[in-house]
């Protein structure tokens, strides 16, 4: 990525992260806690680090179609709440059994398993509370988008497929199917949420954004698989080599490192091509696609 593009994206990422972090922190500051330990666990899983990719996608997609930042705050916060809940549960001993997340002890390590489960449950519910708190013209579509992407047709289904694949030998198509749900569903939802704040569901520009999101969602996961092989624990903020240790199928294990990188690059090209109908308004989304491959996410 050329310097001007990188600088523009860095500025957008920092502004987006600061904005959504302020929105998320305000959710805890606005009212007294019923249970202090639960609130502390929720804060730990939500506010301690994170690159805030999904909120960034909400902002960039919505602004590409003319939405204001103020109107995008609630869906940006909602998608990050769902993401945080999913990570807390994914880290549990019954799932991936991880000790580190974002360079910090996972919630069940910092607190305990029961509190981690409850914190994830509460964050999930809070996501829908936040989203439903604003009188959006297409509120029903927004809520449905988040619910479908989060549940049995989206991220949770992907987690189930992921658990079932441990120790197995799926082909590339089966692996893509699993990741389209586990990782891709929330990435597509982020773009769709941002778009729906601005335009009707049948707007062709929204369809173009969703094609973009599907491509970068899979590219994101492939790059994550690559980093699990090539990265280190300090850089990743979680244990490196964890997928191999659990005998989890990955793109590098099926395609090799070079093959996985080629696949990711091909998907990034597809994503950028999908943005053509949006013109210059979608330039930051194209910059983000390049960034995902050129640097760690």
């Amino acid at each position: 990525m050329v310097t001007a593009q990188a600088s523009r994206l860095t500025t957008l990422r920092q502004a987006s992260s600061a904005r959504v972090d302020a929105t998320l922190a305000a959710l805890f500051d606005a009212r007294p806690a019923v249970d202090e330990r639960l609130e502390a666990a929720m804060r730990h899983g939500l506010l301690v680090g994170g690159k805030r990719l999904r909120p960034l996608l909400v902002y960039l997609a919505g602004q590409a179609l003319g939405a204001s930042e103020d109107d995008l705050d609630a869906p940006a916060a909602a998608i990050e709440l769902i993401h945080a809940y999913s990570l807390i549960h994914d880290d549990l001993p019954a799932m991936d059994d991880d000790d580190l997340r974002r360079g910090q002890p996972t919630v069940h390590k910092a607190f305990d398993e029961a509190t981690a489960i409850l914190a994830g449950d509460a964050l999930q519910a809070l996501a829908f509370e936040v989203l439903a708190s604003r009188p959006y013209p297409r509120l029903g579509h927004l809520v449905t988008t988040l619910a479908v992407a989060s549940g049995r047709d989206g991220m949770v289904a992907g987690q189930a497929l992921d658990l079932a694949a441990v120790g197995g030998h799926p082909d590339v198509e089966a692996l893509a199917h699993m990741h389209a749900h586990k990782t891709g569903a929330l990435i597509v939802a982020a773009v769709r949420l941002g778009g729906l704040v601005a335009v009707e569901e049948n707007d062709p520009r929204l369809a173009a954004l969703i094609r973009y999101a599907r491509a970068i969602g899979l590219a994101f996961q492939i790059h994550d698989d690559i980093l699990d092989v090539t990265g280190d624990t300090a850089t990743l903020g979680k244990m490196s080599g964890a997928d191999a240790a659990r005998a989890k199928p990955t793109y590098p294990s099926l395609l090799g490192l070079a093959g996985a990188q080629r696949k990711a690059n091909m998907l990034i090209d597809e994503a950028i091509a999908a943005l053509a109908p949006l013109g210059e308004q979608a330039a930051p989304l194209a910059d983000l696609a390049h960034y995902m491959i050129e640097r760690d996410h």
Side-chain angles (χ1 to χ4, degrees):
M1 187 188 301
V2 299
T3 302
Q5 291 172 307
S7 177
R8 175 173 62 182
L9 183 59
T10 297
T11 299
L12 289 171
R13 284 169 61 91
Q14 291 172 344
S16 167
S17 292
R19 191 171 185 100
V20 77
D21 282 348
T23 302
L24 293 169
L27 297 175
F28 295 90
D29 299 335
R31 62 193 185 205
V34 174
D35 185 277
E36 294 288 353
R37 184 174 176 82
L38 174 63
E39 293 278 308
M42 292 169 67
R43 286 175 177 267
H44 185 85
L46 178 66
L47 301 178
V48 180
K51 295 182 174 64
R52 308 305 196 217
L53 170 67
R54 290 152 192 83
L56 176 62
L57 285 167
V58 173
Y59 286 117
L60 294 185
Q63 289 176 305
L65 298 182
S68 71
E69 285 186 322
D70 287 346
D71 286 339
L72 294 167
D73 286 337
I79 198 77
E80 188 64 18
L81 285 160
I82 291 291
H83 179 54
Y85 125 71
S86 75
L87 296 181
I88 292 172
H89 283 192
D90 202 39
D91 289 336
L92 288 166
M95 300 279 282
D96 280 353
D97 194 17
D98 277 318
D99 294 341
L100 286 177
R101 172 69 65 178
R102 297 165 174 167
Q104 301 291 328
T106 49
V107 176
H108 70 275
K109 286 292 184 181
F111 295 86
D112 56 72
E113 289 183 38
T115 301
I117 293 169
L118 293 174
D121 292 344
L123 290 173
Q124 181 189 37
L126 185 56
F128 291 96
E129 178 185 334
V130 168
L131 189 58
S133 68
R134 299 286 296 274
Y136 292 109
R138 289 166 289 279
L139 180 58
H141 289 307
L142 291 168
V143 171
T144 300
T145 293
L146 189 61
V148 171
S150 304
R152 64 176 186 172
D153 292 319
M155 179 266 296
V156 170
Q159 289 177 316
L161 291 170
D162 188 29
L163 289 172
V166 173
H169 303 283
D171 58 20
V172 172
E173 184 177 346
L175 194 60
H177 177 70
M178 183 263 285
H179 286 310
H181 292 80
K182 183 179 180 183
T183 304
L186 288 185
I187 287 178
V188 172
V191 167
R192 183 174 168 80
L193 288 170
L196 282 170
V197 170
V199 301
E200 296 292 339
E201 189 173 20
N202 61 358
D203 192 300
R205 294 170 297 171
L206 181 59
L209 284 173
I210 290 170
R211 290 194 296 274
Y212 162 87
R214 286 175 178 155
I216 66 161
L218 186 52
F220 179 91
Q221 182 59 54
I222 294 173
H223 195 45
D224 191 60
D225 286 354
I226 291 170
L227 287 174
D228 190 67
V229 176
T230 62
D232 56 71
T233 299
T235 300
L236 297 175
K238 58 183 180 180
M239 294 301 296
S240 62
D243 290 340
R246 299 188 193 101
K248 293 180 69 171
T250 65
Y251 281 90
S253 69
L254 293 178
L255 301 177
L257 279 174
Q261 187 65 63
R262 284 194 298 272
K263 177 67 174 176
N265 288 337
M266 180 186 73
L267 287 163
I268 292 303
D269 289 342
E270 289 179 14
I272 292 170
L275 295 173
L278 283 77
E280 187 60 28
Q281 295 300 313
L285 288 164
D287 293 346
L288 179 61
H290 284 299
Y291 176 92
M292 286 169 55
I293 295 302
E294 293 175 10
R295 297 184 57 184
D296 68 59
H297 59 264

